[in-house]
Amino acid sequence: MIISVINLKGGSGKTTTAMALATAAARHNRNVSVLDTDPQGDATTWAGDAEDAGETLTFTVDSANIGKLKRLRKTMADDELVIIDCPPAGHALETAESLDAAGKPYALLLLKVENNKLAGNAVNLIRERGASVFDASVPKRVGMQKVIGHAFPSNLNGYEDVYSELEEAIA
């Protein structure tokens, strides 16, 4: 399964979410990897910083582009969970089209979406493409800034609920 973490702007927690969900999946013995499609490379930097600090992440983080996403059908294992850290600027539909081409099941997790017409239209467009959208939400947590560049502590601050929803969908 493929999970894309998407928001229209930078600084909204996409990378933190991707890394937290990968941590939760690895803690549940899932074969999981993160694909960093953001040109800033924050997930890739996070993994490198954790390694430099002597901390081991229990999943891989690799840089990726749209071409790599389109080839996921050929490259990912059947039991693999791939979490995509998407760039800002709302590439939701382009990402969905790439994942459609990959021919693997996927869901989109939108972060900090406000209840407004634009957000509602985006969710409807995504659902029309046949993608699932998560019901679980993650509350805003100021303390999450402290985990950037490190392995997560035991408390995932709401991401465990998102992963539980994901686990139900995978089962």
Side-chain angles (χ1 to χ4, degrees):
M1 177 174 246
I2 301 165
I3 305 297
S4 292
V5 183
I6 296 171
N7 194 294
L8 300 178
K9 66 181 210 69
S12 60
K14 293 180 298 294
T15 300
T16 301
T17 297
M19 300 299 274
L21 290 177
T23 298
R27 288 179 182 174
H28 286 87
N29 299 316
R30 288 279 178 193
N31 175 13
V32 60
S33 62
V34 173
L35 292 181
D36 187 355
T37 63
D38 189 337
Q40 290 180 323
D42 289 337
T44 306
T45 299
W46 183 325
D49 289 350
E51 182 180 327
D52 291 347
E55 300 173 11
T56 303
L57 298 180
T58 53
F59 51 90
T60 61
V61 178
D62 293 310
S63 295
N65 57 30
I66 294 298
K68 186 168 186 167
L69 295 182
K70 289 180 180 179
R71 292 188 304 276
L72 280 178
R73 170 182 36 208
K74 296 176 182 174
T75 60
M76 74 181 277
D78 289 337
D79 69 335
E80 186 176 8
L81 172 62
V82 175
I83 300 172
I84 302 172
D85 181 21
C86 292
H91 295 284
L93 292 179
E94 182 180 349
T95 300
E97 288 172 2
S98 298
L99 296 174
D100 281 340
K104 297 282 186 178
Y106 66 93
L108 301 175
L109 175 60
L110 284 72
L111 297 176
K112 297 183 183 178
V113 174
E114 297 177 16
N115 270 333
N116 61 33
K117 189 174 181 178
L118 179 61
N121 288 341
V123 169
N124 287 337
L125 284 172
I126 291 166
R127 285 192 170 136
E128 284 174 11
R129 299 194 74 66
S132 298
V133 177
F134 283 83
D135 292 323
S137 63
V138 177
K140 185 176 181 179
R141 304 265 189 205
V142 174
M144 291 298 283
Q145 295 288 10
K146 295 177 184 175
V147 301
I148 294 173
H150 299 282
F152 274 89
S154 59
N155 182 359
L156 291 178
N157 292 303
Y159 288 104
E160 194 65 49
D161 294 337
V162 175
Y163 183 75
S164 292
E165 186 178 337
L166 172 61
E167 189 69 27
E168 288 177 25
I170 292 173

